[in-house]
């Protein structure tokens, strides 16, 4: 028998409440879909009063976008020297980690409702993706452009999208996320050549 | 009042029956999803007896795959000289045409059921995609490799997937299919560099 008074479970710090709400909204949208997402469902799942949620977030959509933005990995670049290849690879590993986590299905739920909720899709790109470099690998590319290792004119929307496009296509075709050697192939065979670093095939087998 | 006897509408050539069945199965799977696809629904929609369908196809899935394979565009290559760029572009235009037609939603319906029907997804790739060059642009790439214009070692799975991956990513991000200038950017900024033809930026603006 649990004798803890119910209000005790609610005496949580502001940070705890925000965190509980974020986890709950992601679980709710994944289970229920966007159409049935409600502040009541989130409150129940997080064991938080509706009024507490509204103290932190203006709406259930606001909470959802906050939770997604909070979970986006921050792309890292090496501090010393030219590590373009390994930095690109790490960025794709972060993407794969994110795709394997709980937030990617929530993003898929939003994108699936594009026709009914174009406003929310637009807010997703503006608040979640654009504020995190717009595409995985883009922050890395721009870092090396500033250093002079990459011609900035090569960093077009198509080129910045190569990593995400090829990782998602792999998942679509196979139902699996790419393995490390498959990420390396994406970097070596597609991204680096597009950034002006063609493949060296000298050691390859004769044709 | 329509006085045409009902049997008259059924006196169709074998080719007509096959064509009516193909159109009906694509419409059925798009409307009903894979889970509720049935030979009865196809027979009703095509106004064909079930027994006639079974005379041509072993199952409703067999019919579905036949319809999808029949609708896949055949990639063309120029007969004279090196037209690598325009052949790649035409292949992507074929892909965009296919994605805008009735068959792409049927493929999406199959892929959405990967967990329940891995057999059907496997058959989709084997019977529909692999027999049509496996990926849009691959047939073109291989043609120019045979001619000696492209190093065949550069035609890896990643490189053969660039066009499809970037076109589908564009659709995912924007809800729209790429416009002609966006297809040209995919060819010039991603596919040609990956095939050993780096971008020439001499005429570009100074950085």
């Amino acid at each position: 028998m649990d004798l803890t008074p119910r209000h005790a479970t609610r005496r949580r710090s502001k940070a705890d409440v925000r965190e509980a709400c974020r986890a709950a909204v992601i679980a709710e949208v994944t289970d229920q879909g966007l159409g049935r997402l409600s502040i009541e469902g989130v409150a129940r799942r997080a064991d938080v009063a509706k009024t507490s949620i509204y103290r932190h977030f203006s709406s259930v959509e606001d909470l959802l976008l906050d939770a997604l933005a909070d979970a986006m990995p921050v792309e890292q670049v090496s501090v010393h020297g030219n590590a373009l290849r390994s930095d690109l690879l790490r960025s794709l590993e972060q993407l794969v980690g994110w795709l394997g986590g709980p937030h990617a299905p929530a993003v898929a739920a939003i994108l699936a409702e594009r026709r009914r909720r174009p406003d929310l899709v637009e807010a997703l790109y503006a608040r979640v993706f654009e504020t995190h470099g717009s595409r995985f690998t883009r922050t890395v590319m721009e870092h090396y452009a500033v250093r002079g290792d990459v011609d900035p004119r090569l960093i077009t929307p198509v080129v910045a999208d190569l990593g995400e496009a090829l990782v998602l296509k792999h998942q679509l075709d196979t139902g699996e996320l790419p393995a490390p050697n498959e990420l390396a192939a994406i970097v070596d065979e597609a991204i680096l050549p597009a950034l002006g670093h063609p493949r060296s095939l000298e050691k390859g087998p004769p044709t």
Side-chain angles (χ1 to χ4, degrees), chain A residues 5 29 39 50 54 94 99 121 133 140 147 158 171-172 174 185:
Chain A
V29 78
I39 206 86
K50 262 171 47 176
Y54 283 126
Q94 289 181 307
L99 284 170
V121 172
V140 168
R147 274 179 47 102
V158 162
Q171 192 180 25
L172 182 73
T174 66

Side-chain angles (χ1 to χ4, degrees), chain A residues 165-178:
Chain A
L166 288 162
V167 167
L168 290 173
K169 182 59 160 44
H170 186 281
Q171 192 180 25
L172 182 73
D173 282 335
T174 66
E176 310 279 344
L177 291 166

Side-chain angles (χ1 to χ4, degrees), chain A residues 67-73 91-108 111 124 128-129 136 164 168 171 177:
Chain A
L68 290 172
D70 184 65
M72 284 302 283
S91 170
L92 293 187
E93 284 160 4
Q94 289 181 307
L95 167 61
V96 167
W98 180 83
L99 284 170
H103 297 85
V107 165
L111 292 178
L124 172 73
V128 179
F129 299 147
F136 282 87
E164 289 193 7
L168 290 173
Q171 192 180 25
L177 291 166

